[in-house]
Amino acid sequence: MTRYILSRALQALLVLWGAFTLSFVLLQVMPGDAVLIKFQDPELGLSPQQISDIRASYGADESAFVQYAHVLGRTLAGQLGYSIETGVPVSRMLHAAYPTTLRLAVVSFGGAIMLAAGFATAALLAPLRPLRAALRLVPGLASGIPVFWLEIVAIQLVSFHWKLVPVVGVSGWTAVLLPGLALAIPISAPLTQVFLSAAERVMAQPFIDVLRARGASPLRILYAHVLPNALPPTLTISGLVFGEILAGAVVTETVFGLDGLGQLAQQAVANQDVAVLQAIILISVAGFVVINFTVDALHPLIDPRIRRTQAGGAA
Amino acid sequence: MNAASPQLSIRDLDVVYESRGSAHHALKGVSLEVRAGEMLALVGESGSGKSTLGRAILGLLPESARIQRGSIMVGDTEIVGLPERALRRIRGARVALIPQDPAHSLDPVRTIGAQLVEAVHLHEPRGNTATTRRMLVGLLERVGIKEPERRLHQYPHELSGGMRQRVLIAAAIAQRPALIVADEPTSALDVSVQVQIMALLAELRHEMGTAMLFITHDLGLASEQADRVAVLQHGTLCETGETKALFANPRTPYTRRLLADLPLFHEARAPRRTEGPREDAIVVSHLTYAYKGAGGRPGHKAVRDISFNVVAGQTHGIVGESGSGKTTLLRCLLGLITPDSGSVHILGENPARVEGAAQRALRRAVQFVYQNPHVSFDPRCRAADILAEPLINAGLHDRGARTERIRTMLERVQLPPAVLERRAANMSGGQSQRLAIARALLCDPKILILDEVVSALDVSVQAEILTLLETLQHQLNLTYVFVSHDLAVVRRIADTVSIIRAGEQVEHGPTETVFSTPHDDYTKRLLAAIPGRDLMRPAVLA
Ligand SMILES: Nc1ncnc2c1ncn2[C@@H]1O[C@H](COP(=O)(O)OP(=O)(O)OP(=O)(O)O)[C@@H](O)[C@H]1O
Ligand SMILES: [Mg+2]
């Protein structure tokens, strides 16, 4: 078991390093140069000599390799550097931005799970076969709706028209409620699809008939037996869905005007603020790795058959 | 309740499966009764409607099925037309099911204890878990499970097939139902386990006075266990009667044919003389193979010190229960694994050593036919493609010549040319097994290794395939290695036989000798466990 965890941790470090290197290379080849863009502005009245001093202080004239070594060393020491745009330490910017995104992720993921559960129950237990077949098509369609469109409709209807949830001048959990729920809809689609197909495979197994023959109700069979059996593939996909939440956060925070990591990323791209972008990429990848590790660690808790082979493998 | 009163009585039952406009009558005017303490065996070929009847009694027909007519009374309750809620109170409490396949009939992710407690509490909603568990310990002991307390904490995959079936029986009798429907309860179990489970069911039936509908395709088993037998053919009940009378004097031609097709009715194969010099096609001597254990430690010996030889043109039967090492032995014969000690010679060559052209020739000369052709064929492939593949691999690129060869081969295995256009998924069990044999024969092999090739088939289809194999052997001078758990089948087809138990060859010799004068205790027990061995006699049926 310890060997398994160690190898997984090593894998995670490799992934992080790879992401770091890749993002460094990609950001290097971006056209333009953030220092030039910012300080060439004639209104600042800087002389070419001063500009080149500033460039030297950011290390912008070094060879790419030296820069890479420098940034890697600094990052390993826990230093994320300074924003080229504002001069503020990147860590402080992240600190201010992450709570909003975290709340958004929690609301949208929680909402997606509830939506998927409710919908799957309806799609599996609806009384008539044509009705079930029709419901089965909905998640595929829902995953095709553009997030921004959904969110604009949500603001218009829920907030402005029905006045159910305010979106202006709010903070904390209230601020992410509507955007989170709007984002939950496209997020829940792949969860529902994977769960439904896993559940249908489970329901075709003989033990389901045996349970019915003992007098168990369909709802009981679904929650006490189909759900735990269909959970492993759903759990795997929910680890992957995290990436969609991050991508959705960029759009959502922009549409709703929330100051989160997504907004920060969008601005950093616009300003070519390399240090900020790289930090955001790193924490996104770290989040992804941690979540998928957790998901894998949960599998043996759900499925006793895996538990035994892993225990056996470690022996 | 009066012992003679019927616990189940079915009148004029018609069940129809409807799909996209077409209707299939699965049951037509079926009437039968089962009394308290009685076992009625429902026999018939695959697709005759046995399971449909069982499901109808439990109110568990699929959505596509409709009861057109008739009545099903369980005790004094009419099942037909009963609302779902009321049915749920009856299922498990008054009618219970013992399913066919214990391996897949328990929820794999919940403990035995949790599942049994659930089974009880479905009908005793205010039940106390601790009390129920105590009751369950007694119940598990009653169905012959040792260390019941420990078992309650285990998961299904930690139990053997026989133990799982005992757990399922415990769940079925927990509420003391008046009627038990057992749909092929032992067909997935080894013969010796089968005997124990059937004995347990008989005991419980007498003890609790339960009526039992025993669904089986095994006439031998039915003849031994049941008080009465009902024969179903294409959804119609063609004959019902006391077991002894029915087997001694079958009234309808269908029942007579079913009985005649039983391998038990055929005489053991007499030792045959082969013309010319006796030539050994296969020689196995002192074969031992162990799978490597964890960390490269020498593992469990899968087969130990096995020796036999097969004369060219004859059949060697290999009998053993699941896990006895049959598959390992076959893999050694095919040269897929190299024995740790001892040797294998096939047509004079060592399959694990040959290389190059000699290896390719040997691979063609030894063909393998698998238990379940549905697994080895891609179900979407047409029969024509399945048959063309080995010829293309062998370098026969001329289309006309290929078609010609395939046509002759279809004639050999008695398949109509029309099947060439069918997909594997749409063929019956017998047809796809014929197709598998045709495919194996396309390479002009000398030896066929037949792994449980008739185990999944109905008796009549089984009889046809066995006859076909005998004819082909005669025509093409083929040598067979015939693996089966079914002694009756092996007795019919094999010249010599090896009985394997836990990797050891406990008995070996000419089939007639082994069956008439067995030496080993295990062989004796296996022979005693052949269902319906009382019926074993030469075929003298009018
Ligand atoms: N869900 C279904 N939809 C349509 N037809 C069905 C369905 N289930 C069974 N049938 C058909 O009804 C007939 C009876 O099937 P049933 O399963 O009762 O046979 P069986 O005697 O139990 O066979 P086996 O010995 O193979 O278990 C068959 O022709 C089968 O193809
Ligand atoms: Mg059946």
Side-chain angles (χ1 to χ4, degrees), chain A residues 127-129 132 206-207 209-218 220 224-225 228-229 302-305 307-308, chain B residues 55 58 60 63-64 88 91-92 95 97 99 104-110 115 118-119 122-123 155 157 168 171:
Chain A
L128 297 170
R129 191 199 294 247
R132 290 197 298 268
F207 78 84
D209 266 346
V210 173
L211 286 164
R212 291 175 65 201
R214 282 183 200 148
S217 70
R220 169 164 197 100
H225 298 277
N229 276 283
I302 301 172
D303 194 334
R305 290 163 297 184
R307 213 179 299 161
R308 195 177 64 154
Chain B
R55 296 181 138 264
L58 286 149
L60 279 180
E63 263 175 338
S64 59
R88 260 185 250 148
R91 284 183 206 135
V95 191
L97 172 77
H104 300 108
S105 292
L106 288 161
D107 185 341
V109 307
R110 313 212 34 213
Q115 298 187 53
E118 181 190 35
L122 279 171
H123 297 283
Y155 287 93
H157 71 263
L168 287 159

Side-chain angles (χ1 to χ4, degrees), chain B residues 219-232:
Chain B
L219 275 94
L221 203 56
S223 77
E224 244 175 37
Q225 300 287 335
D227 302 304
R228 288 190 306 130
V229 176
V231 184
L232 203 57

Side-chain angles (χ1 to χ4, degrees), chain B residues 17 24 26 44-53 62 64 184 217 458:
Chain B
Y17 286 106
H24 174 76
E45 290 177 296
S46 180
S48 56
K50 304 183 299 285
S51 299
T52 304
L53 188 65
S64 59
E184 310 262 10
H217 66 273
D458 276 328

